[in-house]
Amino acid sequence: MTPSTSVPLPTGDRAGNTTVDPAGSPAGDGGGPGATPRTYQVRTFGCQMNVHDSERLAGLLERAGYVRAEPEAEADVVVFNTCAVRENADNRLYGNLGLLAPVKARRPGMQIAVGGCLAQKDRDAIVRRAPWVDVVFGTHNPGSLPALLDRARHNHSAQVEILESLEVFPSVLPTRRESAYAAWVSISVGCNNTCTFCIVPSLRGPERDRRPGEVLAEVEALVAEGTIEVTLLGQNVNTYGVEFGDRGAFAGLLRACGRVTGLERVRFTSPHPAAFTDDVIEAMAETPNVMPHLHMPLQSGSDRVLRAMRRSYRADRFLGILDRVRAAIPDAAVTTDIIVGFPGETEEDFAATLDVVAASRFAQAFTFQYSTRPGTPAASLDGQVPKVVVQERYERLVQLQEQVSWEENRAQEGRVLDVLVAEGEGRKDGETRRLSGRAPDNRLVHFSVPEGGEVPRPGDVATVRVSYGAPHHLVADVAPSGPYRVRRTAAGDAWEGSPRASVSLGSPIVRVH
């Protein structure tokens, strides 16, 4: 454990760090009896894990008496939940901190906190680089945030607290769920893999698993509140159970979720090809509420590069998994992650990646240019690929995957799908007079409501026919002959009962907190 450190907050610098309001109340009670509650905003960078962690940070702050700031308002406390996977994560954080410096200069009492993976990595360097930051906390102690804010205000000094191991499993912390109808559920944190490009294990620590009973209790509680979709989260969900000695725990957990009355959709992310076993495929195929979608990170199609990455599978194993999944679940959509330009990657290696992408028929691929991360083994490897070469290969990969995605989505035309209506999925819904949601295979669907037809609420399920497959989404413009049906759900009821505004066709979605 790294003990807390205090760094005096400078005064009169360019950030105007007169951040402590001597007359103010401790941050821990959000403003004190009779005072106007202090407002907060959480800004999230990175993966689904971070999105869920941010829900916990919001829950902690609200339990401490803070209230969420209106979307366009300047918050009293701004919390950055950071990612450290790529170099641009650093640039995004410090760029945003720089933009807040003049805001803080004219708002005495405002506080800025930085947490997450980049905070775990950079520690007190954040305060040295951005001395107007009040609090830095890591991946292992998010529950300390309210107390650290309180201490920074009281002591007139920045508080940096980084732990070397998990304080408590994050799921025991209060959570402010962003959705009334879909929820993240952590089954594990940390990772035991040693991929040479990845900094996450050193920042999140070794894998820690929750007991199945704890996971199911959370799922059942969510369903009781109206949730009908859960996504099980872990750095490597397939190794779930390693901590308590049950190699079949993840398949068993999927089947157990299938027995939860009222739970309509179960998803999970992310598996690892090396640990992906046939019992999971069988559980997916035989459990009706486990959705036909698999996110399976490829990273590279070259066996030589996979070996250098310490990814303990090869291209043939990866393709074999996809074959078995599609044999058991014919309608399954597979998505992936791919890195271009890993050190030592040759044109032959890249060609192998293109071959695997063409054979895999991914519905979507999240493609990345390799980014050197100090502290990872790959950062010191010979053969760093020139940027111009990486860019050219990246463009070829994107072009191929765009074509595959488009062909796969065109094949969906004419299918009738049950779409879980979402809030805010379609950025152009207002101007296109459509609503949006996710098909069972997680494809994004934009659909229209026929004149006089029932308008579904977020959380309801709309049955629509796909009229067009675009490269990144499906369109379902309702023909006069239909079909178009709406099934009202407990999730829609929960959304309607939550403190939010309703959605209407022809207008952007407006949220009222």
Side-chain angles (χ1 to χ4, degrees):
M1 169 179 173
T2 298
S4 299
T5 58
S6 297
V7 180
L9 287 170
T11 57
D13 63 5
R14 74 180 183 90
N17 277 292
T18 54
T19 60
V20 179
D21 179 0
S25 303
D29 64 6
T36 301
R38 286 167 62 78
T39 60
Y40 77 89
Q41 178 189 73
V42 180
R43 302 186 187 182
T44 309
F45 304 145
C47 64
Q48 297 97 327
M49 283 282 195
N50 276 22
V51 173
H52 189 27
D53 287 346
S54 290
E55 292 182 328
R56 296 190 184 104
L57 296 174
L60 284 161
L61 291 170
E62 293 195 4
R63 188 176 68 175
Y66 294 84
V67 297
R68 192 170 186 169
E70 294 295 330
E72 303 303 320
E74 291 181 346
D76 297 315
V77 173
V78 177
V79 182
F80 291 93
N81 189 16
T82 63
C83 171
V85 171
R86 297 181 57 75
E87 185 177 11
N88 66 2
D90 301 53
N91 299 334
R92 287 185 69 191
L93 171 65
Y94 290 108
N96 276 273
L97 290 176
L99 292 173
L100 279 184
V103 178
K104 190 173 181 183
R106 57 179 170 77
R107 295 195 66 228
M110 180 183 178
Q111 290 183 291
I112 300 172
V114 178
C117 288
L118 193 61
Q120 186 78 21
K121 179 176 77 75
D122 285 0
R123 306 183 178 221
D124 55 1
I126 292 174
V127 176
R128 293 196 300 271
R129 187 167 171 180
W132 53 94
V133 169
D134 300 87
V135 169
V136 178
F137 62 100
T139 57
H140 299 310
N141 62 322
S144 301
L145 174 60
L148 292 172
L149 289 167
D150 188 0
R151 197 184 307 158
R153 285 170 59 82
H154 181 271
N155 295 348
H156 296 209
S157 61
Q159 301 297 307
V160 180
E161 183 175 280
I162 304 294
L163 303 187
E164 300 304 331
S165 60
L166 202 61
E167 192 172 44
V168 295
F169 201 94
S171 293
V172 306
L173 301 174
T175 302
R176 185 193 193 280
R177 302 279 178 179
E178 287 297 314
S179 170
Y181 47 88
W184 310 104
V185 176
S186 288
I187 67 171
S188 64
V189 294
C191 183
N192 294 337
N193 292 319
T194 58
C195 302
T196 56
F197 58 82
C198 187
I199 198 170
V200 169
S202 66
L203 303 178
R204 292 271 183 180
E207 181 172 330
R208 293 278 303 275
D209 296 330
R210 296 175 75 190
R211 289 285 176 167
E214 296 174 3
V215 175
L216 290 170
E218 182 177 356
V219 170
E220 289 166 351
L222 288 165
V223 172
E225 295 172 355
T227 296
I228 62 172
E229 177 180 287
V230 298
T231 300
L232 306 176
L233 285 178
Q235 295 297 148
N236 179 3
V237 293
N238 294 125
T239 56
Y240 172 71
V242 66
E243 194 177 31
F244 50 86
D246 184 356
R247 294 175 65 105
F250 184 63
L253 184 61
L254 291 179
R255 292 183 186 275
C257 286
R259 296 189 290 270
V260 176
T261 301
L263 179 59
E264 298 189 15
R265 297 187 175 198
V266 178
R267 305 186 186 279
F268 59 87
T269 194
S270 285
H272 191 294
F276 199 79
T277 49
D278 288 349
D279 63 332
V280 174
I281 299 175
E282 293 165 5
M284 292 175 66
E286 296 169 6
T287 309
N289 66 356
V290 175
M291 294 293 97
H293 169 239
L294 177 65
H295 185 76
M296 182 65 76
L298 170 63
Q299 306 304 3
S300 175
S302 162
D303 288 350
R304 195 187 67 81
V305 172
L306 288 171
R307 191 175 298 109
M309 289 178 167
R310 291 187 197 153
R311 301 284 289 182
S312 47
Y313 58 89
R314 300 297 175 255
D316 284 349
R317 172 173 171 77
F318 185 91
L319 291 170
I321 291 171
L322 301 196
D323 288 343
R324 296 194 298 278
V325 167
R326 286 170 171 147
I329 313 166
D331 293 334
V334 181
T335 55
T336 197
D337 301 326
I338 303 171
I339 296 172
V340 178
F342 186 80
E345 180 188 77
T346 65
E347 181 60 28
E348 182 180 2
D349 294 323
F350 180 67
T353 295
L354 295 180
D355 290 343
V356 174
V357 169
S360 297
R361 307 299 296 175
F362 297 119
Q364 185 180 16
F366 299 91
T367 52
F368 306 92
Q369 298 184 32
Y370 171 74
S371 175
T372 302
R373 304 309 292 137
T376 62
S380 58
L381 289 178
D382 293 333
Q384 299 289 327
V385 183
K387 172 67 176 175
V388 65
V389 175
V390 176
Q391 181 66 34
E392 189 273 336
R393 290 177 184 168
Y394 176 80
E395 290 172 0
R396 275 193 282 157
L397 173 61
V398 169
Q399 182 179 30
L400 171 61
Q401 182 55 48
E402 291 271 306
Q403 183 63 36
V404 171
S405 295
W406 198 2
E407 291 169 0
E408 291 296 303
N409 282 357
R410 291 298 302 269
Q412 300 290 311
E413 293 174 4
R415 290 193 64 194
V416 175
L417 302 175
D418 289 333
V419 177
L420 177 57
V421 182
E423 182 182 29
E425 282 271 30
R427 290 176 295 176
K428 297 182 179 180
D429 282 352
E431 58 195 77
T432 60
R433 297 183 60 82
R434 293 186 180 117
L435 298 177
S436 298
R438 294 283 171 174
D441 66 6
N442 209 40
R443 282 182 167 93
L444 178 62
V445 183
H446 303 301
F447 66 95
S448 60
V449 176
E451 187 172 351
E454 181 179 0
V455 178
R457 307 161 300 179
D460 288 338
V461 175
T463 301
V464 300
R465 188 188 302 277
V466 177
S467 56
Y468 177 66
H472 302 290
H473 61 266
L474 305 177
V475 175
D477 285 333
V478 181
S481 59
Y484 175 80
R485 296 187 300 275
V486 172
R487 178 167 61 83
R488 293 171 70 86
T489 69
D493 295 342
W495 180 89
E496 195 167 51
S498 65
R500 297 169 184 269
S502 61
V503 59
S504 60
L505 292 173
S507 301
I509 292 172
V510 178
R511 297 180 180 83
V512 178
H513 301 287

